[in-house]
Amino acid sequence: PGTPVRNDLWSERVRFWKSKSWDGDGPGVERGRGYADMMDEAGGHVGEADRGASVRRWLLALWVTTVGFLLVPFVVGVPQRYSELVDGCGPDCDPHIYGLLDAEQRARLSEVGIDPRLYAWWDIGRESALAVVCVLLGTLLILRVGTRVAFLTGTVMVAYGAVLVPEMSIAAERAGLSPGLDHAVWMVALGTIVIPWYLLPTGRFAPGWGWIPAACTAATWMSFSFFRESGEPPAALTMAAFALLAFGVGAQVYRYRRASTLVERQQLKWLGIGLAGWCASLIVYTVYDGWLFDPSQPGLVYPLGYIAFGALATGTALIFPFAWSVAILQHRLWEADRVLSRGALALAMTAG
């Protein structure tokens, strides 16, 4: 990234000279200033561009490291997830993982032309597609924007697409992955939940003392990683985590009303659209696995329901990375009002 900046040194200085007013003292001499002063100032602009390119290179290196770290449970979990979907749940398998079928259900799927291997690849493919989209869009933000905000946004998207959404499937606790590494990945992934509520879209806290509840929120959510083996966390911890998250919502409302420009308000709207997609995918999973279908149901009810609701959950989950990318790239920001109004109309018609 630094090469085009260095090669463009002369054109940068030419543009600088042309922007000035000249007198008859000769070319390259601005009225009331010397040639050396002008060269120093033009060189300073290019120096700032060089420093920006250097920062972008460091962010890209940090981004590659972070993505590789967060993708470890996903990559390790793919072959084990495939085996569970094709052969059924083994003795070391968590029976509460989404989408697992017993022998009768797999046989019934084969009777209607859906081979268990095809079922497995469909399930892994849709979750892999979400993870790949999050990684690619995060990389695009680093390359096109190259700021701390872009890095934070991309990290949240990868944690969401590769760790948090496939928590009960591909990225579930797996054999062959050391407990220490598993805890570390989950602590980082859960810690990123503080970013959209306290830092985006500017990368600064609003109000300024917001770092105090933000630190408490991150610590509380990161502590959930220690309960992955022992079961459900204490009720008091869960209540505190969501109370702190509600405080983060209040902080973003304060930012929107008191501490944001017009452009930042449009960015916040797109961030809200993305979070709505995130919540919608969680609701789909909850309705599917907790209310409508039971894995113990015989026949094709559970397998076909999982196929349909899985596609719906992935579709709603994809809203999140695309909306956030629009917010950070500042592309078609003013379409947010139209999206929100149409979404509200669709919800009203559905409820009616």
Side-chain angles (χ1 to χ4, degrees), residues 137-311:
L137 289 177
T139 305
L140 176 65
L141 295 182
I142 297 296
L143 295 176
R144 292 289 300 274
V145 182
T147 61
R148 179 181 59 177
V149 171
F151 173 77
L152 292 174
T153 305
T155 301
V156 175
M157 290 196 301
V158 174
Y160 165 79
V163 182
L164 298 178
V165 169
E167 171 191 3
M168 291 302 296
S169 54
I170 293 179
E173 190 171 349
R174 298 293 180 182
L177 186 63
S178 66
L181 180 59
D182 182 69
H183 281 307
V185 171
W186 272 89
M187 286 182 69
V188 172
L190 290 169
T192 61
I193 203 169
V194 74
I195 294 174
W197 305 109
Y198 291 95
L199 284 172
L200 295 182
T202 63
R204 298 185 299 272
F205 292 105
W209 49 267
W211 65 270
I212 299 176
C216 296
T217 304
T220 304
W221 281 88
M222 290 167 70
S223 66
F224 285 132
S225 64
F226 295 99
F227 295 95
R228 283 169 53 76
E229 295 181 4
S230 59
E232 294 294 327
L237 182 64
T238 303
M239 293 177 60
F242 281 97
L244 288 167
L245 209 58
F247 191 94
V249 174
Q252 288 294 56
V253 171
Y254 171 85
R255 183 194 299 272
Y256 183 86
R257 294 177 62 89
R258 300 291 184 87
S260 60
T261 64
L262 184 60
V263 170
E264 289 168 0
R265 288 186 177 185
Q266 294 301 117
Q267 288 179 294
L268 285 168
K269 290 177 183 178
W270 277 109
L271 294 175
I273 293 170
L275 290 173
W278 184 342
C279 293
S281 67
L282 295 178
I283 292 173
V284 170
Y285 273 118
T286 302
V287 169
Y288 161 74
D289 197 66
W291 296 351
L292 295 183
F293 300 100
D294 185 348
S296 62
Q297 288 175 313
L300 294 172
V301 176
Y302 183 81
L304 295 181
Y306 182 76
I307 291 173
F309 274 78

Side-chain angles (χ1 to χ4, degrees), residues 65-77:
T65 304
T66 303
V67 169
F69 176 70
L70 290 174
L71 286 178
V72 168
F74 194 93
V75 174
V76 172

Side-chain angles (χ1 to χ4, degrees), residues 88-109:
C89 195
D92 297 330
C93 170
D94 183 358
H96 297 95
I97 293 178
Y98 293 137
L100 297 184
L101 309 179
D102 57 28
E104 180 192 354
Q105 291 168 332
R106 294 195 301 274
R108 294 296 299 274
L109 273 182

